[in-house]
Amino acid sequence: MGKTLTYKILEKHLTQGSLSAGEPIGIRIDQTLTQDATGTTAFLLFESMGLGRVKTQKSVSYIDHNMSQFGPENHNDHLYLQTVAAKSGAYHSRAGNGICHQVHLERFGEPGKTLLGSDSHTPTGGGIGMLAIGAGGMDVAVAMGGGAFYLTAPKVIGVELVGNLKPWVGSKDIILKLLSILSTKGNVGCVVEYFGDGVKTLSVPQRATVTNMGAELGVTTSVFPSDETTRLFLDAQGRGDSYLALSADPDAEYDRIIKIDLSELEPMAACPSSPDNIKTVSELVGKKVNQVVVGSCTNSSYTDLMMVARTLKGRKLHPMVEFAIAPGSRQVLNMLAENGALADIIASGARILESGCGCCIGQGYSPADGTISVRTFNRNFAGRTGTKGDMAYLVSPETAVAIALKGEFVDPREIGVDYPLVEMPKHFLIDDSMIEQPPSEEDAQNIEVLRGPTIVVPESPQDLCDTINGKVLLKCGDKITTDHIMPAGAFLKYRSNVPEYAKVVFNCFNEEDEPTFADRALNLKAKGVAGIVVAGDSYGQGSSREHAALCPMYLGVRVVIAKTIERIHKANLINFAIVPIEFADPDDYDKIEAHDKLEIISLLDSVRSSDSIKVVNKTKECEIIGKLNLSKRDREVLVSGGLLKYTRNNA
Ligand code: MIC
Ligand code: SF4
């Protein structure tokens, strides 16, 4: 039987386990990326683990998320990250150089390598044939120190692409189509691998849009073959030496095959408030729109923005629309500035945002009450824009620019503009002066790591105890995202200060004049009662932010019981010694209510060696059986009291 590309790359990196779907495996990590919102914790933990210098082929620390700098916190983080990167032997991409995923694709990504990033959109690297996986900062810290990354050998979903995209249909529409088929639930433990004749019609940035937003499927990663198009892209980036041709064997067997005919796709949108709430744009025609943004790591490449600039040239925005662009990198912005496209964008009335994450993570540019915001981003979870009750739609840049001109949803094919074909540049503008090379180990000895007062080393988890007497602090429904658990936006600046950030855990469920989740949790913790969170399906979907485990841990949450838990979040819970339990019978979800008292006996024994665990609901006087879906290593990490202690013990 032929091999999939995924398994070919895994095979080359396997350090532990056997490569058969569902089995726990360890893989060697060639490159890591961290960004500032998760990076401070990652580096603080890296330092606490005593792992010395970075041992990967390349580790890059990016500043792209927290750049609004209200108060000293963000800049304190930047200075810490810049100096700790130099001390540890990591590259450092400075604030203003661009969004980690876009810059990594341009300047560092290499086909066939493994990349572990402390950001859920790390699979962007799949656009260049990397096996690029998102993880919590602590897992990335271990990988920076030369440790393996542990995952479940995946099932591989093959997506066969045929045909050609028609004018005004973007590669974003491919992933929106796939989200309409697979949804955001139920894909844990899978990798999506693209193949077929349609692949060669897509440029590297188009492929990267697809693998980037593949994160919303909840899969481990997504990957494209590396072919002549990849070679030309790498050549144009002055990195032709990194090219390696890669593809699946022609007779590769996939666990499931989905065929998408690119010629049949039409413009689509993810409607509020989930990336899988898909409609065609033609179904939305006429809806008034007051804000449009083109940017984020999904759609802010040179070709995306050139298409936008050419469409806007000589035209003015609709007067009721505020339109902004956020170029994905300094390379993109520089090229637009040099060839005059930026002037066309400015002349149309557009606002120019920084090359960074910015409003994708709710830092400014929140839409007005009751209005529609259309974005080329990858997430539209409720409230992520910073406006309560927001209505954010996710579309391609093609659809976005058409709407910006018309002031309402319109099929871009109907605006009477010829589709501007943008050639991939033969040479990108290369200026790596905002990427600092790591100094030699000897020179690094003289570097002082700057630690501003807002940078607080996170507390270690308490060890697991054998009997848990707990209380349900919160019962929530399906598809609770890490944005629900740990809001970002205005609170992002507290990422390096857990006691401060923990105050807003589950903020969206707090009622006015009622004690907050954090107050209730700390109150229980002071009484020695364990906090428990109960949830439905796909708990913890979305980002990789380990604060969604770290801050609840700080508040005394010891157990999460859910119908299903998403991959990265489950790993983060384990890393911070919170026991992830899944209902053996999903209907038992109805047997627990908020405020119920629960008892779990023999927790340690069960975590050590059993696949199930008994939870007694003392309030309702009934028993519930939970599943402990854990690998041997997960069990060891939990029993050690989290990954930090486990790594120290095994160093
Ligand atoms: C996101 O898009 O939600 C983020 C912000 O990039 C997160 C990382 C974080 O919370 O810092 C992600 O995608 O992992
Ligand atoms: Fe940044 Fe948004 Fe991409 Fe997350 S999804 S890395 S916040 S641009």
Side-chain angles (χ1 to χ4, degrees):
M1 182 179 90
K3 286 183 193 144
T4 61
L5 172 54
T6 308
Y7 272 74
K8 287 187 185 183
I9 304 179
L10 284 173
E11 208 169 61
K12 286 225 152 63
H13 292 85
L14 192 71
T15 59
Q16 212 174 307
S18 79
L19 274 178
S20 121
E23 289 298 311
I25 53 169
I27 56 169
R28 187 169 32 79
I29 296 297
D30 301 321
Q31 300 188 350
T32 65
L33 73 76
T34 45
Q35 41 87 339
D36 51 308
T38 55
T40 47
T41 314
F43 273 95
L44 285 168
L45 294 168
F46 180 78
E47 290 185 292
S48 309
M49 288 175 193
L51 295 171
R53 297 262 297 175
V54 161
K55 293 180 187 67
T56 51
Q57 293 171 12
K58 263 176 202 144
S59 284
V60 192
S61 161
Y62 291 90
I63 308 282
D64 56 359
H65 278 63
N66 279 317
M67 303 203 299
S68 38
Q69 296 177 224
F70 292 107
E73 292 87 350
N74 294 168
H75 198 197
N76 284 342
D77 287 352
H78 300 178
L79 293 173
Y80 167 68
L81 288 170
Q82 185 172 19
T83 49
V84 80
K87 189 100 191 165
S88 330
Y91 289 79
H92 178 75
S93 171
R94 300 182 58 190
N97 197 45
I99 306 175
C100 55
H101 308 303
Q102 175 70 24
V103 178
H104 208 87
L105 195 74
E106 292 168 355
R107 308 304 308 140
F108 292 101
E110 293 180 45
K113 303 265 174 181
T114 50
L115 167 69
L116 193 72
S118 63
D119 191 282
S120 63
H121 292 107
T122 304
T124 313
I128 208 168
M130 300 189 91
L131 202 74
I133 303 176
M138 208 192 263
D139 284 325
V140 178
V142 169
M144 287 196 294
F149 175 64
Y150 295 87
L151 70 161
T152 307
K155 288 189 178 159
V156 184
I157 302 174
V159 175
E160 183 181 4
L161 300 178
V162 296
N164 269 304
L165 289 174
K166 291 272 176 301
W168 293 108
V169 179
S171 63
K172 178 68 148 281
D173 296 309
I174 305 173
I175 187 64
L176 292 176
K177 176 73 186 175
L178 195 61
L179 275 155
S180 77
I181 299 170
L182 289 175
S183 88
T184 59
K185 297 199 309 191
N187 306 312
V188 174
C190 297
V191 168
V192 175
E193 185 172 310
Y194 293 85
F195 69 99
D197 276 356
V199 165
K200 60 176 183 297
T201 68
L202 300 173
S203 67
V204 165
Q206 285 180 310
R207 297 174 188 183
T209 293
V210 173
T211 57
N212 170 287
M213 198 168 174
E216 289 8 284
L217 298 163
V219 294
T220 307
T221 190
S222 305
V223 64
F224 271 85
S226 167
D227 56 10
E228 187 55 15
T229 307
T230 322
R231 189 183 68 73
L232 292 174
F233 176 83
L234 285 167
D235 263 352
Q237 289 286 355
R239 300 198 297 114
D241 292 355
S242 308
Y243 175 66
L244 179 69
L246 287 171
S247 61
D249 291 333
D251 57 344
E253 266 190 39
Y254 294 97
D255 292 278
R256 173 178 178 187
I257 291 186
I258 295 170
K259 189 167 175 174
I260 296 183
D261 185 344
L262 301 177
S263 342
E264 282 175 7
L265 291 182
E266 58 177 305
M268 275 176 278
C271 304
S273 292
S274 179
D276 62 357
N277 186 13
I278 308 291
K279 287 205 166 111
T280 60
V281 168
S282 56
E283 290 175 88
L284 301 166
V285 164
K287 273 182 179 297
K288 297 276 173 260
V289 174
N290 294 104
Q291 186 192 64
V292 179
V293 195
V294 174
S296 93
C297 54
T298 322
N299 274 124
S300 57
S301 65
Y302 170 78
T303 36
D304 282 340
L305 289 174
M306 281 305 295
M307 185 279 305
V308 168
R310 292 207 180 134
T311 307
L312 290 177
K313 193 177 169 78
R315 300 188 170 85
K316 295 284 176 213
L317 301 175
H318 187 276
M320 291 307 287
V321 173
E322 284 194 5
F323 175 69
I325 62 145
S329 69
R330 186 163 161 271
Q331 179 181 77
V332 172
L333 182 57
N334 257 338
M335 289 176 73
L336 297 179
E338 288 219 337
N339 69 15
L342 189 60
D344 295 330
I345 297 176
I346 295 171
S348 74
R351 292 166 60 179
I352 313 300
L353 307 180
E354 260 194 289
S355 285
C357 297
C359 56
C360 174
I361 188 58
Q363 294 187 102
Y365 220 72
S366 303
D369 289 307
T371 62
I372 290 182
S373 174
V374 167
R375 300 165 165 225
T376 63
F377 305 170
N378 45 37
R379 291 192 172 140
N380 58 349
F381 303 143
R384 187 169 157 108
T385 62
T387 298
K388 227 179 173 159
D390 55 7
M391 291 182 280
Y393 289 72
L394 309 173
V395 301
S396 67
E398 285 81 354
T399 300
V401 68
I403 293 176
L405 291 171
K406 181 88 176 171
E408 58 188 39
F409 265 94
V410 59
D411 188 323
R413 296 169 296 187
E414 308 291 324
I415 58 170
V417 177
D418 286 340
Y419 184 57
L421 278 177
V422 181
E423 292 280 305
M424 276 299 280
K426 296 228 163 17
H427 303 284
F428 286 94
L429 198 158
I430 296 160
D431 169 8
D432 286 337
S433 57
M434 296 283 279
I435 299 176
E436 292 175 354
Q437 305 264 339
S440 70
E441 191 160 359
E442 202 186 339
D443 290 348
Q445 280 171 7
N446 304 322
I447 290 168
E448 184 203 348
V449 177
L450 299 176
R451 297 169 207 275
T454 53
I455 296 172
V456 179
V457 180
E459 200 174 89
S460 283
Q462 287 174 12
D463 288 340
L464 288 196
C465 42
D466 210 36
T467 301
I468 286 223
N469 274 305
K471 194 168 173 184
V472 179
L473 280 164
L474 180 76
K475 180 178 178 187
C476 41
D478 290 345
K479 290 191 180 180
I480 295 298
T481 70
T482 52
D483 281 57
H484 291 105
I485 307 171
M486 228 32 272
F491 305 111
L492 256 189
K493 67 179 193 174
Y494 298 123
R495 281 284 174 95
S496 311
N497 187 344
V498 169
E500 198 52 46
Y501 195 28
K503 290 180 184 162
V504 293
V505 171
F506 284 119
N507 207 23
C508 61
F509 294 119
N510 289 334
E511 303 280 353
E512 239 173 83
D513 305 326
E514 297 282 329
T516 62
F517 178 93
D519 290 340
R520 291 185 292 117
L522 284 175
N523 197 10
L524 278 191
K525 189 181 176 189
K527 293 182 190 147
V529 179
I532 296 175
V533 172
V534 174
D537 260 325
S538 282
Y539 181 71
Q541 65 171 236
S543 89
S544 70
R545 69 189 67 146
E546 63 196 332
H547 293 79
L550 173 54
C551 293
M553 177 278 283
Y554 169 81
L555 297 176
V557 173
R558 311 297 305 275
V559 174
V560 167
I561 313 177
K563 288 187 187 169
T564 53
I565 307 177
E566 293 292 305
R567 174 187 68 88
I568 306 180
H569 186 58
K570 185 169 165 192
N572 285 334
L573 291 173
I574 294 167
N575 288 350
F576 291 98
I578 298 179
V579 183
I581 301 177
E582 288 168 331
F583 288 102
D585 175 358
D587 291 344
D588 283 353
Y589 169 82
D590 298 327
K591 292 189 184 160
I592 310 182
E593 294 304 327
H595 312 298
D596 283 358
K597 286 190 180 144
L598 307 185
E599 188 181 59
I600 306 176
I601 303 170
S602 304
L603 179 77
L604 260 176
D605 276 350
S606 304
V607 166
R608 267 197 200 104
S609 55
S610 174
D611 291 336
S612 66
I613 190 161
K614 192 163 76 184
V615 179
V616 179
N617 187 336
K618 299 191 94 172
T619 310
K620 303 262 183 319
E621 295 184 350
C622 60
E623 278 179 17
I624 289 144
I625 300 298
K627 281 188 297 183
L628 289 172
N629 203 346
L630 303 168
S631 69
K632 182 168 165 282
R633 179 177 178 271
D634 293 339
R635 294 176 192 277
E636 287 167 6
V637 171
L638 279 169
V639 170
S640 307
L643 187 58
L644 182 60
K645 288 186 196 157
Y646 173 85
T647 309
R648 276 196 198 134
N649 296 345
N650 290 286

